[in-house]
Amino acid sequence: MPSSAPSAAMVGRAAELAEMRRLFQGVREGVPAALLVEGEAGIGKSRLLREFTAEIEHTADVHVGWCLDLGASRTPYGPLTGILRSIVTRMGVERVRESVGVGAEALGMLLPELVDAPTDRERTSPERLRDAIASVIEAAAERAPQVLVVEDLHWADESTLAILSFLLRALDRGRILLLLTSRSDDVRRGDAVSRFIGEATRARLLERLTLARLDEAAVRELAEQITGRPLSGAAFDRMQERAEGVPFFVEEIAGCANGSLPEGLRDLLLARFDRLGDDAQHVVKVASGAERPLSHPLITRLVDLPEQQLDEAIREATRSGILIVVDDEYRFRHALLREAVHDDLLPGERARLHRAYAETLEAQSASSGTGDAAALAYHWQLAQDDRKALIAAADAMRHAKAQYAFATAARFGELALELWPLVPDAAEAARVERLDLLLVLGSILRNAGDGERALAVANLALAEVDPEAVDPRLHARLLRNKALYLVNLGRLGVIPLLQQALSIAEEHVDDEAFRAELLNRLASRRMIAGDREEAILLADEAERRAAVAGSTDQLSIAANMRGGSLAHLGEVEAGIREYERARQLATGSDAEMRYRVNYSDLLMLLGRYREAVEVAEEGLRRARELRVERTSGSIMAQNMVLPLLELGEIDRVEDMLSRDFVQGTLRVFRMYMSMTRVRALAWRGRSVEAAEMLQEWLPAFEETGISERQIWYDRVMMTVAVAESAGDLRGALDTILEMLRDERPALLHQRRLLLEGAAIISELRAEGADVAGAADTIRSAWLAQPAQLRDDAWSTILDALLDPHPDALGAALLCADGDDVPVTFRVVLRLEQARMRVHEGDRASASTVLAEAAEIAEALGHAQLRAAVERFASDAGLRPAAGSSAGIDPLTAREKQVLELIAEGLSNRQIGERLFISVKTVSVHVSAVLRKLGVSTRTEAALLQKNPTHSASGQPAVVA
């Protein structure tokens, strides 16, 4: 990373440089690391990285990519292309192709030189692109440590942030160091960069190094290096007053040592520029219009000076410290200098400059066959050529959409809309009609995870529709899309929109497949609302229309809707047969994913948890392949996590919840996953956090629950889990009884809550509460189910808990130890059996059963069940309250593993690598270990692990 930067030695950054050396040492040993160097403009972020990379350039490959200042509309994958191209240069094209295999086609979207023909978007996916990028980096790390530098993260586009987020999680081993720089004063709270930094920091995937201003000694040392002489007291005081410890400003003020000190910051930044000759000033002005480094041929074309005269002008500009040479390209020594020069241009100068850039880029594009639509949109907009800016914005939108950079595509689409009224022939220039642009833009925004803006665009389009003049099919599609966006946001009003779209299609659109689609969407909404008979009628009509059209996908979806509705009516076997038909008929991605989403959900509701996990796991894999991981993939993740929770695989659940399945996705999918997060927190006994999350999401669940019955049940489930975790069993039971007073149709979701109600009743009965009335209510609700749902393992368990006796509990325990029953009932039933045996006087047998219950509760890591077992053991006198004679170990098997690795001195990241779990999950286990051992530091925990006869205070531990 050579440059002709100022020759003054770096001062005041010894500690920061040492920290980077420490991280790199770990990287050389195979422990990847990521560091964000942040601070205000001019604080020395890039200078620190130059010093560090100069140290290691002979022991590591350094690859640098810059995020470009293109305003709001940024180039997709901005810095990544440069980094990847640098890696390819080091490795060679053939080695890269070999390392990524079939992923070379996906990588060809960013690096066309890797493929023989342009990449066909339909033959790749965002998942393959991400995997290919990770594979290239991992392969490079096998030959040498890789240092990937991303400069100016504050200008990063969303596609770059998404890839970086993926890489932070995926590159969990290998000699890889990711270095990011960011201006802290240019990162706005709540924007995409801020969210990325916050999420990566919370997940402990990214370390942060904030550069402070220099102290007085460092300021004096730097200034005197530059001036070559000691500073007087007055001169130093004046420098401190103006520079305030910012290294770049110290350099600029020191550079004015032989003249008067400029008054304002702008004048200070322009002081070097003002001392240049006319030709050098012209070169610098031209360079200020570039959003990226300038090659010599490009600056030659733009400046239009004789060759020798140009060379002298460039030499003067570089000697002045304004421009520097990096990798045979010209760039400003600091972005603040570029901004100052560019802002000092007159409006006419600025417009002419950017027109020259745009025309040059267009000429290069015409000769090479490639172009940068994002840069063209930026330059034509600043050139105040609205028509050409619109053309470039529309092209940039299409290009970004083709690269799956949906958020970036949305920005360019919105820019096109902004420019539209300024261009008389906008539709011809953009090569798209305005309503079609709005239709596409809404879909792009939805894929970008921005449901609110997608809905706003749909509303804008429908407000412009003239029903008498518009293409009826387009009108119906706009209505359908608005309905879809409302669904994504969990809002009301979906069904009337679909009915209106269907009415238009029936009267004006000769397309039976389209009508079948609308009927199926209506059937879906009716099923979700609990109107199962109406959903079946609509699905039947959709099937008739789909058969006429020969659309197997719509036939599949119709069978899907019918299957779910039949199952919720109690006709489970018939419903499962319909789902099998749906599977066989599905050929397209939409039909396939709907089958996997709905069938895995049904299996989970029926308690067929292992099957549900298998179907959902395969669905999640397919969602990634089909580029729908932010929509259907989010639901598939939820449909996989829920049965895993019921199976007691809490470590795996927490690991999945720590991933980015819902990052940047739509509101309704975040709602689904939040319910599981609440339940997982309650499971661990983190009742305060669970209650806070419940309160955060409760308004959304209440709103959406009006039209989506399953969301209504999810709200009940969250409320019950939080109350149980907090020890409010009566409140939890009252919530279930309140659910039963609701007069709307009962769905299969009710079964799990009734079973939980029986468990709560057994605990309250043990406390001496009068629960006879509640038990009768629960039993009546269970018996009100269709016959197919009443005679199963869950019925046996519910009966045993509501009316406990030895034979019933024995039969229930046999059922509970199978896979088709929530695993918590293995503890609940054993605890009830222990109570009964104590009542019968069989204390020895009760103690054995209780020990089994304790062992299962500990293995599950279920705080409430563990507490219930220990409380009964203490109350019944089966073991000392604070002892361990029942063989109950306070740590789970996983927590013991973590403790052993803590004692070895491993970091959370290293523990995660050893155990193949995420860093966040390790953090959860470490917190649990410290809490259970009653210590506050890892050192104390390690001491206890190595010497268990000593307490955290260093005194002999008391053994009961």
Side-chain angles (χ1 to χ4, degrees), residues 345-577:
L345 297 174
L346 295 172
E349 285 183 297
R350 191 178 300 121
R352 288 192 298 274
L353 175 60
H354 286 285
R355 175 174 290 277
Y357 270 99
E359 290 172 345
T360 302
L361 289 175
E362 280 190 343
Q364 289 180 336
S365 173
S367 62
S368 67
T370 61
D372 188 340
L376 278 173
Y378 168 74
H379 288 297
W380 281 124
Q381 189 177 19
L382 290 178
Q384 300 177 24
D385 191 321
D386 297 328
R387 189 176 192 277
K388 290 200 170 185
L390 173 61
I391 293 171
D395 285 344
M397 178 192 73
R398 286 185 278 262
H399 181 69
K401 178 175 179 286
Q403 290 187 321
Y404 313 112
F406 294 115
T408 304
R411 288 178 182 263
F412 284 114
E414 290 174 331
L415 175 59
L417 282 183
E418 179 185 330
L419 294 166
W420 195 279
L422 305 177
V423 180
D425 62 338
E428 180 181 348
R431 293 181 289 123
V432 64
E433 294 296 329
R434 180 176 169 84
L435 283 178
D436 289 311
L437 173 62
L438 290 168
L439 181 75
V440 171
L441 179 56
S443 176
I444 288 172
L445 284 163
R446 175 182 180 270
N447 285 328
D450 197 335
E452 293 288 358
R453 285 161 71 198
L455 179 60
V457 168
N459 286 332
L460 176 62
L462 288 168
E464 295 181 7
V465 164
D466 178 358
E468 301 300 321
V470 72
D471 175 7
R473 182 183 182 86
L474 176 59
H475 190 189
R477 290 175 70 196
L478 287 168
L479 290 165
R480 176 204 62 190
N481 283 10
K482 180 179 178 181
L484 178 60
Y485 305 153
L486 288 173
V487 169
N488 295 154
L489 292 169
R491 302 272 172 78
L492 305 178
V494 175
I495 288 177
L497 286 168
L498 291 173
Q499 289 173 329
Q500 185 183 354
L502 181 60
S503 176
I504 293 171
E506 293 281 17
E507 188 173 351
H508 301 292
V509 182
D510 184 18
D511 186 339
E512 291 287 29
F514 183 50
R515 293 169 187 158
E517 179 203 337
L518 293 172
L519 285 162
N520 274 327
R521 291 192 182 278
L522 268 172
S524 172
R525 302 320 299 169
R526 291 296 191 189
M527 180 181 73
I528 287 172
D531 301 331
R532 297 151 298 182
E533 293 87 351
E534 177 66 16
I536 291 172
L537 292 175
L538 287 165
D540 289 345
E541 180 62 20
E543 180 160 330
R544 286 191 286 271
R545 301 296 185 92
V548 172
S551 173
T552 56
D553 276 355
Q554 292 305 322
L555 285 170
S556 169
I557 295 170
N560 187 329
M561 297 303 106
R562 190 184 301 108
S565 299
L566 286 169
H568 280 290
L569 284 170
E571 299 181 43
V572 175
E573 293 177 2
I576 289 175
R577 286 196 297 271

Side-chain angles (χ1 to χ4, degrees), residues 68 127 330 705:
L68 304 178
E127 183 71 17
Y330 304 111

Side-chain angles (χ1 to χ4, degrees), residues 847-861:
S847 182
T848 300
V849 172
L850 194 63
E852 292 176 5
E855 183 178 353
I856 296 170
E858 287 295 340
L860 295 176

Side-chain angles (χ1 to χ4, degrees), residues 921-933:
T921 300
V922 174
S923 177
V924 171
H925 288 315
V926 170
S927 297
V929 167
L930 299 183
R931 184 182 68 252
K932 291 179 180 182
L933 295 182

Side-chain angles (χ1 to χ4, degrees), residues 30-294:
V31 181
L35 177 70
L36 172 67
V37 180
E38 55 189 337
E40 61 190 297
I43 203 68
K45 302 177 291 293
S46 296
R47 180 63 189 278
L48 176 63
L49 262 61
R50 282 199 299 270
E51 291 286 333
F52 170 68
T53 54
E55 283 188 10
I56 64 168
E57 61 184 357
H58 298 300
T59 57
D61 293 342
V62 179
H63 313 284
V64 187
W66 284 269
C67 302
L68 304 178
D69 181 10
L70 287 174
S73 302
R74 297 161 184 175
T75 304
Y77 309 108
L80 297 173
T81 303
I83 288 173
L84 292 169
R85 187 158 281 126
S86 175
I87 293 175
V88 172
T89 300
R90 294 281 187 123
M91 293 180 62
V93 170
E94 291 306 319
R95 178 71 183 89
V96 169
R97 286 176 178 164
E98 180 184 332
S99 66
V100 299
V102 295
E105 188 168 17
L107 206 57
M109 299 177 69
L110 302 185
L111 306 176
E113 60 266 32
L114 291 181
V115 292
D116 298 325
T119 298
D120 181 358
R121 184 175 185 271
E122 295 304 314
R123 295 177 59 186
T124 185
S125 68
E127 183 71 17
R128 285 188 182 179
L129 176 60
R130 293 197 303 237
D131 285 343
I133 291 173
S135 296
V136 167
I137 296 170
E138 288 174 331
E142 292 176 2
R143 60 183 296 275
Q146 300 295 298
V147 178
L148 315 179
V149 180
V150 176
E151 289 267 27
D152 298 325
L153 186 72
H154 48 277
W155 288 326
D157 66 291
E158 284 89 338
S159 59
T160 294
L161 297 173
I163 294 290
L164 290 175
S165 179
F166 169 77
L167 293 177
L168 287 174
R169 291 166 170 81
L171 300 177
D172 56 359
R173 57 181 56 83
R175 298 179 295 172
I176 302 163
L177 175 60
L178 177 62
L179 297 176
L180 312 170
T181 69
S182 177
R183 281 193 203 171
S184 52
D185 39 356
D186 278 352
V187 176
R188 296 174 180 82
R189 183 176 180 181
D191 70 5
V193 176
S194 175
R195 291 196 303 272
F196 164 79
I197 294 173
E199 290 165 0
T201 303
R202 284 191 296 274
R204 300 187 182 183
L205 300 171
L206 181 67
E207 296 188 40
R208 300 171 71 170
L209 183 63
T210 302
L211 299 189
R213 296 184 177 190
L214 298 179
D215 60 25
E216 290 189 1
V219 168
R220 180 179 290 278
E221 181 182 352
L222 177 59
E224 291 180 351
Q225 278 189 37
I226 295 171
T227 61
R229 55 183 170 78
L231 290 182
S232 68
F236 178 74
D237 290 343
R238 188 171 55 157
M239 179 172 289
Q240 276 291 73
E241 180 184 351
R242 302 293 295 280
E244 297 181 332
V246 177
F248 177 70
F249 296 150
V250 172
E251 292 175 1
E252 294 303 293
I253 293 171
C256 300
N258 296 323
S260 61
L261 190 61
E263 289 298 323
L265 176 58
R266 174 180 169 278
D267 292 335
L268 171 63
L269 291 170
L270 292 174
R272 290 177 187 264
F273 173 78
D274 290 338
R275 293 196 295 271
L276 297 175
D278 291 344
D279 288 346
Q281 284 193 358
H282 180 49
V283 166
V284 171
K285 284 182 179 180
V286 169
S288 76
E291 80 290 354
R292 64 192 70 197
L294 283 164

Side-chain angles (χ1 to χ4, degrees), residues 15 28 708 867:
R28 295 183 68 179
E708 294 200 18

Side-chain angles (χ1 to χ4, degrees), residues 656-721:
M656 290 188 68
L657 290 176
S658 72
R659 301 183 196 175
D660 64 342
F661 291 111
V662 295
Q663 181 184 334
T665 192
L666 299 159
R667 177 174 179 255
V668 71
F669 306 136
R670 296 198 302 273
M671 290 172 64
Y672 294 143
M673 197 63 82
S674 69
M675 187 268 289
T676 310
R677 291 183 190 278
V678 168
R679 291 186 63 190
L681 288 169
W683 184 292
R684 290 297 195 185
R686 296 160 67 179
S687 57
V688 174
E689 295 172 69
E692 288 174 351
M693 181 169 281
L694 171 62
Q695 286 304 117
E696 176 188 351
W697 281 98
L698 198 55
F701 274 82
E702 289 175 344
E703 177 190 9
T704 306
I706 296 172
S707 59
E708 294 200 18
R709 193 73 170 142
Q710 65 195 44
I711 288 287
W712 184 83
Y713 279 112
D714 286 346
R715 178 190 63 79
V716 176
M717 180 64 79
M718 284 195 302
T719 305
V720 169

